[in-house]
Amino acid sequence: MKRFFQILTVALLLPLISLAKIPDEDDILRKIIDRASPYYYPTLLERYRNLEQLNEDEYHYLYYGYAYNENYKPLAGCKALDDLILLMATIDTERPDKEEIAEIISVCQDALMFDPFNPTVLNMMIFAYGNCGDREKEQAYYRHMNGILETIKSSGDGRGEKYPMHIIMFSHATDLVASLGVEHRKAEIISRKVEYIPLTEPRKVPDGKIKGFYFDYSRIYRNKPEDVTFKKKRTWQFNNLGVREYK
């Protein structure tokens, strides 16, 4: 599916590493399981699903805390995401009719049950509700998409392997790069924890050039199912994982 972000345009510049909010696993786990905490996970996730407005810290604990949720299965397939790919390839995105809009919303709702923070799916919800005139939900999904992307961006500068941005799904990395409005090449696995997404053309910034972005995907491997074995080095395919063999 062609990834496009109609509403959100974010700056290419990322936060200085001194300002980065690198996820602290002990802190996250402690706060999301504490019923007295404002970040108690069941309550926080319910607020998110109810489209309530959240702050920066709430998005941080919500996003990274999902890695401890029993429904977090980052290597599993999702039929709803496959259906969304097929749907977006067949409808007229310039002039979708009411039936198409209703189908997009239905498929996206199913997809968000599997991956609540998928930027592409959130963007499709923005697109759908914007086209049917529901400005309240359009803005709510915009806030969610922006909140998730900013959470990932603030987790590291992404310009080196030492300070990568942190993701809980591989597709979130490619979605974030797409949201920056830059073209990129296929992702490359750098290590057991870090992948690199090179840009098609380096982008100039005040302190040099950005040739690509680094992402920490260790949470995904941490949740590797038992039937997945490490056999050989391979290049990831984000839209179709194919045979589940990892280094």
Side-chain angles (χ1 to χ4, degrees), residues 46-139:
E46 182 179 7
R47 290 181 58 206
Y48 175 81
R49 293 195 186 281
N50 289 337
L51 303 182
E52 294 185 28
Q53 191 162 351
L54 305 177
N55 61 36
E56 179 181 325
D57 285 338
E58 289 167 334
Y59 278 116
H60 175 83
Y61 288 100
L62 180 72
Y63 183 74
Y64 295 111
Y66 194 63
Y68 297 96
N69 189 283
E70 62 180 4
N71 294 320
Y72 176 56
K73 300 176 181 178
L75 297 176
C78 178
K79 183 178 182 299
L81 288 174
D82 294 337
D83 290 343
L84 182 59
I85 292 172
L86 294 175
L87 179 60
M88 296 309 298
T90 59
I91 71 170
D92 180 358
T93 56
E94 296 297 325
R95 296 180 180 179
D97 59 36
K98 292 182 179 179
E99 289 74 18
E100 290 173 330
I101 291 297
E103 188 172 4
I104 290 173
I105 292 174
S106 177
V107 174
C108 284
Q109 287 174 336
D110 290 340
L112 289 174
M113 293 304 295
F114 169 75
D115 178 4
F117 315 115
N118 187 301
T120 289
V121 179
L122 293 172
N123 189 58
M124 289 300 97
M125 291 294 257
I126 298 169
F127 168 80
Y129 282 113
N131 273 274
C132 69
D134 190 332
R135 301 306 176 195
E136 184 176 351
K137 287 187 177 178
E138 178 189 17
Q139 288 301 312

Side-chain angles (χ1 to χ4, degrees), residues 108-236:
C108 284
Q109 287 174 336
D110 290 340
L112 289 174
M113 293 304 295
F114 169 75
D115 178 4
F117 315 115
N118 187 301
T120 289
V121 179
L122 293 172
N123 189 58
M124 289 300 97
M125 291 294 257
I126 298 169
F127 168 80
Y129 282 113
N131 273 274
C132 69
D134 190 332
R135 301 306 176 195
E136 184 176 351
K137 287 187 177 178
E138 178 189 17
Q139 288 301 312
Y141 280 105
Y142 167 80
R143 289 195 303 268
H144 276 353
M145 182 178 70
N146 187 49
I148 296 304
L149 291 173
E150 288 300 322
T151 293
I152 298 171
K153 284 176 59 184
S154 67
S155 66
D157 70 2
R159 293 170 63 178
E161 186 177 354
K162 187 176 181 181
Y163 298 110
M165 290 178 276
H166 293 246
I167 54 172
I168 63 172
M169 295 280 191
F170 281 113
S171 65
H172 297 181
T174 49
D175 281 350
L176 185 142
V177 176
S179 76
L180 296 172
V182 294
E183 295 184 1
H184 62 87
R185 299 190 178 93
K186 197 171 185 178
E188 305 168 2
I189 298 299
I190 303 299
S191 71
R192 284 180 175 269
K193 291 184 177 182
V194 178
E195 71 169 2
Y196 175 65
I197 299 182
L199 302 184
T200 301
E201 294 183 5
R203 294 302 177 101
K204 292 182 179 180
V205 293
D207 60 345
K209 290 184 179 181
I210 295 178
K211 297 182 179 180
F213 296 103
Y214 293 82
F215 295 89
D216 181 308
Y217 61 86
S218 59
R219 291 163 186 80
I220 298 172
Y221 270 2
R222 191 172 69 200
N223 286 269
K224 181 180 70 66
E226 293 182 359
D227 63 339
V228 173
T229 58
F230 298 101
K231 293 184 178 180
K232 62 181 180 180
K233 183 177 181 180
R234 69 187 295 270
T235 301
W236 289 94

